[in-house]
Amino acid sequence: MSSDAGETVRRDRILSSKLYFDVPSSKVPVIYSSSYNISFLGIEKLHPFDSKKWGRVCQFLVAAGVIRKDQIIEPLEAKMNDLLVVHTESYLNSLKNSLNVAKIIEVPPVALFPHCIVKEKVERPFRNQVGGSILAAKVAKGRGWAINVGGGFHHCSAERGGGFCMYADITLCIHYAFVQLNISSVMIIDLDAHQGNGHEKDFSHDSRVYILDMFNPEIYPFDYEARRCINQKVEVVSGTRTSEYLKKLEEALEVASTSYDPELIVYNAGTDILDGDPLGLLKISADGIARRDEKVFRFARARRIPIAVT
């Protein structure tokens, strides 16, 4: 298939998707579904990643009186046709093998279960989160900001998953925005402790996307090829503390402001930079993470750029 024909198919898939829908004004720009949470006979606890944290976040917000449960936007699940906007058919077919899924989410016992169970217990929660990431761009365009409580699967590219990332929700979000929101420039600000090698591979030759990635180079995924695709690389080594981290972020945002003028920001707000996180190995305080997020939001707001957060 020629590249033009491929783009036409992609556009048709996006325009026929049900993932973009009108959100009532009574809702707040926070996207979540109880189906985000992964519960699989307790074996999900074999991975240090908290697979029920999304529900805990919303329970906390509701209990604190920040939002009401009926104000939260519930997304739709991304279906096969939606995922094919970015993913190859061969990659999606490979997920029918439980061994491949087990490798991606790094929980070996999952390989022992039939695909019908893995699809329901593991893949479906991820697909619901993908729907949330895609919808976040639409909501952000209308409201100025939107937060998908889940998503941010930045290790997954069109053809390969890994690092607990099964679907390329950031790449999908941006391609939907190109077509549905009629925009042509997006900035990814990836502040997860790990390098976002998935979206970096996907947009390696796409000048419509500018990537600012601030990550610890001493931890997974060690993807040196993808690092060459980063427009603005900021490395923060193991043990980096709050003051140094925030100073580097301020400097990076200043450079970004003069380097690119996006119509949308997709912000991957990973919290594994927290002091004590067993994977990120950084030493950022909880207050430091809140200040980090505030700096990114102020950056977007000062320039009147919609911001979609995963």
Side-chain angles (χ1 to χ4, degrees):
M1 187 183 293
S2 70
S3 59
D4 286 346
E7 282 303 314
T8 300
V9 171
R10 170 180 280 168
R11 182 180 179 83
D12 289 345
R13 284 194 169 115
I14 290 171
L15 293 174
S16 65
S17 174
K18 294 180 171 62
L19 296 180
Y20 264 38
F21 56 85
D22 293 330
V23 174
S25 59
S26 59
K27 301 284 188 179
V28 297
V30 174
I31 301 167
Y32 166 75
S33 166
S34 59
S35 58
Y36 280 18
N37 302 294
I38 299 172
S39 181
F40 196 175
L41 303 175
I43 63 173
E44 71 279 356
K45 295 175 184 176
L46 294 174
H47 194 285
F49 191 95
D50 180 0
S51 63
K52 295 179 183 174
K53 68 174 184 174
W54 308 287
R56 282 195 255 273
V57 168
C58 286
Q59 286 168 11
F60 173 83
L61 292 174
V62 171
V66 177
I67 55 176
R68 297 193 316 271
K69 194 174 180 180
D70 65 344
Q71 290 179 307
I72 297 172
I73 302 167
E74 187 163 348
L76 298 174
E77 177 187 338
K79 302 295 187 182
M80 183 74 161
N81 215 44
D82 301 312
L83 298 170
L84 283 168
V85 164
V86 163
H87 289 293
T88 60
E89 200 161 347
S90 62
Y91 172 70
L92 295 178
N93 284 336
S94 75
L95 299 179
K96 295 176 183 177
N97 184 324
S98 296
L99 176 60
N100 291 333
V101 174
K103 289 176 180 176
I104 289 169
I105 66 169
E106 301 171 339
V107 181
V110 168
L112 303 175
F113 290 85
H115 175 250
C116 59
I117 296 176
V118 174
K119 181 179 179 181
E120 186 64 24
K121 293 291 187 179
V122 180
E123 294 175 25
R124 188 163 176 260
F126 279 115
R127 290 199 304 269
N128 276 283
Q129 293 190 45
V130 170
S133 295
I134 290 170
L135 181 62
K138 179 186 189 298
V139 177
K141 187 73 160 58
R143 305 281 191 93
W145 63 277
I147 297 172
N148 180 21
V149 175
F153 305 129
H154 64 162
H155 296 308
C156 187
S157 65
E159 298 180 353
R160 186 173 184 179
F164 211 83
C165 299
M166 191 174 298
Y167 302 112
D169 66 317
I170 292 175
T171 305
L172 283 157
C173 168
I174 291 171
H175 277 292
Y176 272 72
F178 283 152
V179 174
Q180 291 276 21
L181 305 180
N182 195 29
I183 64 174
S184 57
S185 57
V186 176
M187 179 181 289
I188 298 173
I189 299 178
D190 195 335
L191 301 187
D192 187 279
H194 301 82
Q195 175 198 351
N197 58 322
H199 58 70
E200 287 158 8
K201 288 176 180 174
D202 287 339
F203 293 114
S204 59
H205 303 294
D206 196 331
S207 61
R208 298 173 299 175
V209 179
Y210 180 96
I211 299 173
L212 189 172
D213 194 350
M214 188 164 166
F215 63 95
N216 183 349
E218 300 173 350
I219 59 174
Y220 178 91
F222 304 106
D223 193 332
Y224 299 101
E225 182 183 350
R227 285 184 196 180
R228 294 200 293 267
C229 307
I230 304 171
N231 301 93
Q232 194 178 337
K233 179 177 64 175
V234 183
E235 296 185 348
V236 280
V237 297
S238 299
T240 297
R241 296 186 179 274
T242 304
S243 57
E244 182 186 352
Y245 182 94
L246 293 177
K247 183 173 182 291
K248 282 196 167 190
L249 176 60
E250 285 178 2
E251 292 169 352
L253 291 174
E254 186 63 35
V255 170
S257 69
T258 59
S259 301
Y260 199 70
D261 186 21
E263 296 166 273
L264 172 72
I265 292 171
V266 176
Y267 173 35
N268 191 29
T271 51
D272 53 359
I273 65 170
L274 182 69
D275 188 7
D277 186 278
L279 301 178
L281 303 183
L282 301 175
K283 292 186 176 295
I284 315 306
S285 67
D287 178 67
I289 294 177
R291 283 190 283 157
R292 173 200 73 169
D293 292 346
E294 184 178 356
K295 288 179 188 297
V296 177
F297 266 77
R298 287 188 182 279
F299 172 83
R301 186 165 186 174
R303 292 157 183 79
R304 298 185 177 180
I305 305 167
I307 181 169
V309 185
T310 58

